[in-house]
Every structure is written in C-alpha cells, then in structure tokens.
Amino acid sequence: MKHYDDKSNLAGMKIIFMLAQMFILAVVYMIVYTSFLAIQYAINLYGVSPIMYFPVIVALVIFPILLYKYRQMFNSGKMLVATVWTMGAASLVIILLYVYVAQVTS
C-alpha cells in the first residue's frame, strides 16, 4: 500500500505554476508586441512623439519582475494568493495596454 506524500504533490504544483506563468508571460508579451506595433503605427500616421513607447516599455520590464515575486510567494506557501495575483496582474497589464493604445491611436 502506497502512503500519501505531500512533497511530491508540492513539487508537481511548482512545475504546473511555473508552466502557467510561462504561458501567461507569452500572452502578455504578445499584447506588448502588438502595442509596440500600434504605437509605431500612431507615430507614422498621426505624428505622435516616440516617448509614447515609454508605458509599453515599462510593462515589458515590470511584468517579469512581478512574476518572479509571485513565484517567491508561491514557494513560500501562499499558493492560492500567488495564483490570484499572477492572473490579476496579467489582466491588469493587458487591459491598461489596450486602453493606452486605444487612446493613442484615436
């Protein structure tokens, strides 16, 4: 008879969380890339300043740092909180980039 081992479940959850974070990072970076293209379009078409790239660059730099902090939170035992913060941060970055690009291109 096999005994229940919580350590193997914890190791599996760490791997699943890491894979989920990589997928979320890929989705957010696709939105960031699209935002770069939209800002480039606005610069060429409307003549806006290249400083308009700044919020997109900030999102590009800050989001991986947030994911690293959430992974530390997950590893310290706050698994559900880290998952919620990861999804919330990704949603917020995507929505804010969408609103920003909509304002710049209109």
Side-chain angles (χ1 to χ4, degrees):
M1 185 170 162
K2 187 175 179 180
H3 292 287
Y4 177 75
D5 185 18
D6 207 24
K7 290 183 182 185
S8 64
N9 287 342
L10 184 61
M13 287 306 298
K14 285 182 181 181
I15 291 172
I16 291 172
F17 186 72
M18 184 184 63
L19 291 174
Q21 276 195 330
M22 285 192 283
F23 177 74
I24 291 168
L25 183 66
V27 169
V28 170
Y29 273 3
M30 283 190 280
I31 302 298
V32 167
Y33 177 71
T34 305
S35 299
F36 273 121
L37 293 180
I39 299 298
Q40 181 182 8
Y41 174 75
I43 288 172
N44 292 337
L45 190 63
Y46 302 121
V48 298
S49 172
I51 197 71
M52 295 295 179
Y53 283 120
F54 182 71
V56 182
I57 293 171
V58 168
L60 180 74
V61 172
I62 295 296
F63 192 69
I65 296 170
L66 289 175
L67 288 182
Y68 176 72
K69 294 293 183 184
Y70 300 146
R71 190 176 310 148
Q72 286 179 333
M73 187 186 303
F74 187 89
N75 290 336
S76 71
K78 300 175 185 174
M79 297 176 193
L80 183 60
V81 175
T83 304
V84 170
W85 274 102
T86 300
M87 296 305 294
S91 300
L92 185 66
V93 167
I94 290 170
I95 290 170
L96 289 177
L97 283 175
Y98 175 75
V99 169
Y100 177 69
V101 168
Q103 290 296 317
V104 170
T105 58
S106 61

